[in-house]
Amino acid sequence: MTASTAPATTSSTVSSADGTRIAFTRVGQGPAVILVDGALCYREFGPTGKVAEELKDRFTVYTYDRRGRGQSGDAPSYDPAREIEDLAALIEQAGGRAHVCGVSSGAALSLEAARRGLPISRLALYEAPFIVDDSRAPVPDDHVTKLQEAIAAGKPGNAVRRFMRIVGMPAVMVAAMRFMPGWSKLKKVAHTLPYDASFVDDFQKGKPLPAGRWASVTVPTAVIDGGKSPAWMRNANAAIASAVPGSTYRTLQGQTHMVKPDVLASALAQHLTA
């Protein structure tokens, strides 16, 4: 593709139902696809920008800063329903209907949006971090409270470190994080960790997923995980696929939770054009 015909990239904002401005970037040409980030990620820090680059020749791809992150606004108090409204505003911006692809806790958000009936054409979920059995310890009941306490005390780094320990990062890596180049970016969005927890916490108790929870999700859905991800993650995503009517379950061999953008993009394109 020559420079003169390369898909244009534009950045703007859209107003959510409560008036919060949500910043987004649009690139490419073709059917609309909205990518939803997981915890601590936003347009300048995370995988979705590279995934968008891989998809832009076939799709019009929207990436955005979830509320409280990057250039998006926030509200004085948090309600997960507002994030569903943010996604709804982006779908409207994209023409009233769009494919939606979520990664990690962004997958949990996307699944909830489908459950609430947003106009989603096709849905793709990569490794929603649910815990549905005893293959790993459940997340402690006081996890969200501890995050909130660290943030309220002005210690966002403590909140980030706690989150990283919960998701299974080795202790030596957690200790070294403050010396890494992206540490300041992580601390800036640490206050949004409880936001993500609101979409996953109920499903991280080591119990089977609630029967019928997603029975109303009728859009074609792909549930995807990595072949090198731990057993608890793969078990959870297999359970999600069983819980969403008519969904497909796919494993990307050689991949982990830190999936390679080109590999994920290829799987997404296959599902979105099926």
Side-chain angles (χ1 to χ4, degrees):
M1 180 172 290
T2 64
S4 61
T5 60
T9 299
T10 60
S11 295
S12 187
T13 63
V14 64
S15 182
S16 192
D18 69 344
T20 299
R21 304 299 294 180
I22 302 300
F24 70 89
T25 297
R26 178 178 60 239
V27 62
Q29 51 194 8
V33 180
I34 299 174
L35 304 180
V36 185
D37 271 315
L40 299 174
C41 295
Y42 52 107
R43 289 179 300 166
E44 293 184 4
F45 191 82
T48 55
K50 292 181 180 179
V51 175
E53 286 296 309
E54 295 286 341
L55 292 172
K56 68 181 182 181
D57 290 341
R58 301 178 67 182
F59 302 93
T60 301
V61 190
Y62 292 76
T63 55
Y64 72 105
D65 295 338
R66 287 174 53 189
R67 63 173 51 212
R69 312 179 193 194
Q71 296 180 340
S72 287
D74 207 349
S77 60
Y78 181 75
D79 184 335
R82 304 290 82 78
E83 288 220 66
I84 303 298
E85 293 169 354
D86 298 345
L87 184 52
L90 283 161
I91 292 174
E92 182 64 26
Q93 178 73 26
R97 195 168 190 86
H99 303 309
V100 173
C101 306
V103 176
S104 191
S105 51
L109 190 164
S110 301
L111 181 56
E112 179 62 14
R115 189 179 78 89
R116 298 193 187 196
L118 266 62
I120 296 171
S121 300
R122 282 179 174 265
L123 179 68
L125 312 171
Y126 188 78
E127 291 204 344
F130 297 168
I131 304 171
V132 300
D133 55 26
D134 62 358
S135 53
R136 67 149 282 178
V139 171
D141 290 338
D142 65 351
H143 173 56
V144 176
T145 299
K146 294 294 187 181
L147 290 176
Q148 293 170 331
E149 288 175 351
I151 294 162
K155 298 179 178 179
N158 288 355
V160 174
R161 282 187 284 267
R162 176 179 179 81
F163 170 77
M164 293 302 181
R165 290 195 300 270
I166 288 293
V167 301
M169 179 178 283
V172 64
M173 291 184 65
V174 173
M177 285 187 65
R178 63 192 181 97
F179 301 109
M180 296 179 181
W183 180 240
S184 61
K185 291 183 178 181
L186 292 174
K187 290 197 297 180
K188 284 181 180 179
V189 294
H191 64 283
T192 65
L193 286 169
Y195 299 6
D196 288 272
S198 68
F199 289 100
V200 302
D201 190 56
D202 287 345
F203 311 115
Q204 293 184 317
K205 306 303 183 184
K207 299 178 181 179
L209 297 175
R213 168 79 180 187
W214 297 285
S216 64
V217 178
T218 59
V219 301
T221 301
V223 182
I224 309 170
D225 61 18
K228 286 190 174 181
S229 290
W232 68 267
M233 180 72 80
R234 299 199 59 208
N235 294 349
N237 281 267
I240 294 170
S242 295
V244 177
S247 66
T248 60
Y249 172 54
R250 179 178 180 182
T251 296
L252 304 181
Q253 296 303 323
Q255 298 303 303
T256 66
H257 200 60
M258 304 297 288
V259 62
K260 293 181 179 178
D262 61 327
V263 176
L264 179 58
S266 178
L268 295 180
Q270 290 179 35
H271 172 60
L272 300 181
T273 58

